[in-house]
Amino acid sequence: MSGVVPTAPEHPAGDMENQSKSPDPRPAAPPDYTSHYAPGPPGPVVCPPAGYPGGFPMGYYSQPQANAFPLYQSTGGTHITQYQPGRYSMSHQSAPILWMPGPTPMTNCPPGLEYLAQLDSLQVLQHLDPLELMTHFETNNRYDVKNNLGQMVYVVNEDTDDFTRNAYRTLRPFVLRVTDCMGREVMTMQRPFKCSCCCFCCHTARQEMEVQCPPGVTIGYVKERWNLCRAVYSIQNEKKEDVMGVRGPCSTYGCGSDSVFEIKSLDGVSNIGNIIRKWHGLISAMVDADHFDINFPLDLDIKMKAMIFGACFLIDFMYFERSPQQNPTT
């Protein structure tokens, strides 16, 4: 035997290089694709939380109940969250909603009325309901209440059953619930049923409304007074004592112009403020979506501001509520 030691067979350099690299166990990267996942709507509109500047003070306002007000709920953030139009597909929300900053508590002031201490005017905007327009089925009225900066102050919702709304139409008794940005009911307005079959000058046929703030605690009444040619009301305190008067125009329906209801002192001389139903052309005459401007002195008693605010809704139901069975010009 020769002294040559056998060795492994030689391999080409390329094969050796391939053996030195272990195969990659990871699968190949997936191809690019466009996701069809549709993100949900952005965070809801909320008020500044308690304990922060401009927010509600700790321990003064109760926490909102679950699902009490689906559009607005607390998220614990320190800033007001707004809807971003155009970023998400939201057919029911076309513009940001910005609430007026929460007020500080005040002595001798019903909870929730502190907003009015900072205001000398309010805008009341009624929602247009397409269902009512198409089907002639009377639905609950809804209103947005804003300040002169366009910030939301309150939301007002009618709470009346379907039978009562459609059987009595504009004469229906109703309950209006006023809520703030926390979904808390801060004011309730109740109108009892008054038979219109009596003589128009009979006191039993005159309309009235009770205003409660907080709900269950009466702060005053708005009562219709008989007058031959114009709308006249008296605003009373909780003891049913007259404190102010409301004097409407001779043509209360305001076809072609604004309808101005003046708030007068008891002697009828001093002008305290006014409630103006704005005229917006054919829209005002054909559909049930009214716009009111309410003006009063900044230093007026808060309860009296609330009573003037409440009088606006009784006026709306009596003179500007468009029942589908009525002629829009009457």
Side-chain angles (χ1 to χ4, degrees):
M1 293 181 63
S2 63
V4 179
V5 179
T7 59
E10 296 183 359
H11 298 279
D15 294 342
M16 293 299 293
E17 184 179 355
N18 292 336
Q19 290 181 2
S20 63
K21 295 182 179 180
S22 60
D24 190 352
R26 297 174 297 178
D32 294 334
Y33 67 94
T34 302
S35 173
H36 296 284
Y37 169 73
V45 178
V46 297
C47 289
Y52 289 89
F56 297 115
M58 284 289 190
Y60 185 73
Y61 289 90
S62 59
Q63 295 296 326
Q65 300 296 325
N67 298 326
F69 201 49
L71 290 180
Y72 317 104
Q73 58 185 4
S74 178
T75 62
T78 60
H79 302 283
I80 296 179
T81 304
Q82 300 183 21
Y83 289 110
Q84 301 296 327
R87 184 177 179 184
Y88 299 93
S89 177
M90 299 178 62
S91 59
H92 64 282
Q93 188 67 48
S94 59
I97 297 179
L98 182 62
W99 284 85
M100 181 178 174
T104 56
M106 300 177 58
T107 57
N108 300 323
C109 176
L113 294 191
E114 297 92 347
Y115 290 97
L116 300 181
Q118 308 173 27
L119 301 173
D120 60 359
S121 65
L122 290 170
Q123 297 179 19
V124 179
L125 309 173
Q126 184 178 359
H127 286 233
L128 173 62
D129 195 326
L131 177 64
E132 182 176 325
L133 192 62
M134 293 184 296
T135 65
H136 292 181
F137 181 84
E138 190 76 23
T139 59
N140 279 320
N141 286 0
R142 296 177 298 150
Y143 305 85
D144 290 341
V145 182
K146 300 182 179 183
N147 59 17
N148 55 7
L149 298 178
Q151 298 172 326
M152 291 281 287
V153 181
Y154 298 119
V155 173
V156 183
N157 289 284
E158 181 185 357
D159 185 5
T160 310
D161 62 89
D162 293 340
F163 173 79
T164 301
R165 286 195 312 273
N166 288 275
Y168 296 98
R169 298 289 179 173
T170 59
L171 291 175
R172 64 185 183 263
F174 62 73
V175 175
L176 296 179
R177 304 190 186 279
V178 183
T179 55
D180 60 10
C181 68
M182 301 294 289
R184 183 183 50 146
E185 185 175 345
V186 299
M187 187 187 306
T188 302
M189 292 174 274
Q190 298 182 357
R191 174 198 189 185
F193 175 73
K194 292 288 186 177
C195 179
S196 60
C197 299
C198 303
C199 176
F200 64 90
C201 61
C202 179
H203 72 279
T204 59
R206 299 173 194 168
Q207 301 297 313
E208 65 179 64
M209 186 178 69
E210 178 183 356
V211 179
Q212 301 176 357
C213 185
V217 180
T218 302
I219 64 171
Y221 301 85
V222 181
K223 292 193 174 184
E224 180 187 19
R225 297 300 185 191
W226 181 81
N227 190 280
L228 184 61
C229 61
R230 65 177 68 242
V232 177
Y233 299 87
S234 64
I235 296 178
Q236 303 176 333
N237 59 19
E238 67 276 10
K239 299 179 182 179
K240 295 189 175 183
E241 300 170 340
D242 292 347
V243 292
M244 290 183 294
V246 181
R247 184 174 180 268
C250 292
S251 177
T252 54
Y253 298 102
C255 184
S257 62
D258 296 345
S259 299
V260 181
F261 294 78
E262 299 177 343
I263 312 299
K264 295 284 190 179
S265 59
L266 284 180
D267 56 12
V269 177
S270 302
N271 190 9
I272 299 175
N274 54 52
I275 300 172
I276 304 175
R277 189 260 188 170
K278 307 296 290 185
W279 172 258
H280 293 293
L282 293 178
I283 295 179
S284 298
M286 297 177 62
V287 300
D288 189 13
D290 293 313
H291 175 188
F292 290 89
D293 284 349
I294 305 175
N295 302 285
F296 37 62
L298 183 63
D299 58 352
L300 185 66
D301 181 76
I302 292 180
K303 291 184 179 180
M304 293 300 101
K305 289 184 179 182
M307 293 304 303
I308 296 174
F309 172 63
C312 171
F313 296 96
L314 183 58
I315 291 172
D316 181 37
F317 272 85
M318 288 188 62
Y319 296 107
F320 306 109
E321 178 73 5
R322 302 302 183 196
S323 174
Q325 296 180 353
Q326 292 179 333
N327 188 321
T329 60
T330 60

